[in-house]
Amino acid sequence: MPDRCIVRAVLYLQSHTYSGAIMRALSVRHPYAELIARDEKHWEFRSWKTAHRGDLLIVASVAPCPDGRADHPEICAPGIELHYGAAICVVTLVGIDGEPGDYEWEIDNAR
């Protein structure tokens, strides 16, 4: 069970005001959240789409992606600290392409 303080922090960040507007958030598992923060991953695949374009807060989910550890050992190596259940970076959601159930979210400008 995730720590309740972390869950509250994530919920707060998902609804926190940013420049007078609601800051939208997307939960992504590590190591993919880290790759987005490093500006090395520019496509996120989702089964749903949104009309939102612009700033998007990337939040690392509490659970890691089991397949990602083998695919990206340089990020998941012992001694490298990844923060779970935390805000990682802000990106720009540029656009969404695809068909129902298989959408490609184009993200850029990780900061």
Side-chain angles (χ1 to χ4, degrees):
M1 179 105 188
D3 184 277
R4 290 182 185 189
C5 293
I6 293 173
V7 172
R8 284 191 201 123
V10 170
L11 291 174
Y12 172 76
L13 289 169
Q14 289 177 336
S15 63
H16 186 67
T17 57
Y18 176 77
S19 302
I22 296 292
M23 174 59 102
R24 308 272 182 183
L26 184 66
S27 180
V28 179
R29 289 182 173 193
H30 274 308
Y32 305 110
E34 182 65 23
L35 289 170
I36 291 171
R38 294 180 182 192
D39 207 26
E40 296 176 15
K41 184 176 192 291
H42 296 278
W43 294 96
E44 179 62 21
F45 299 93
R46 297 285 157 154
S47 61
W48 52 279
K49 64 180 179 176
T50 179
H52 175 74
R53 299 296 182 273
D55 287 346
L56 189 64
L57 179 69
I58 300 298
V59 177
S61 69
V62 176
C65 181
D67 297 338
R69 293 177 184 263
D71 293 342
H72 300 282
E74 74 282 3
I75 295 174
C76 299
I80 295 179
E81 185 177 353
L82 296 176
H83 301 282
Y84 293 89
I88 300 296
C89 66
V90 174
V91 298
T92 302
L93 177 57
V94 178
I96 298 176
D97 195 17
E99 54 190 52
D102 190 23
Y103 292 105
E104 302 168 353
W105 294 31
E106 183 181 1
I107 52 178
D108 198 13
N109 192 26
R111 54 207 184 276

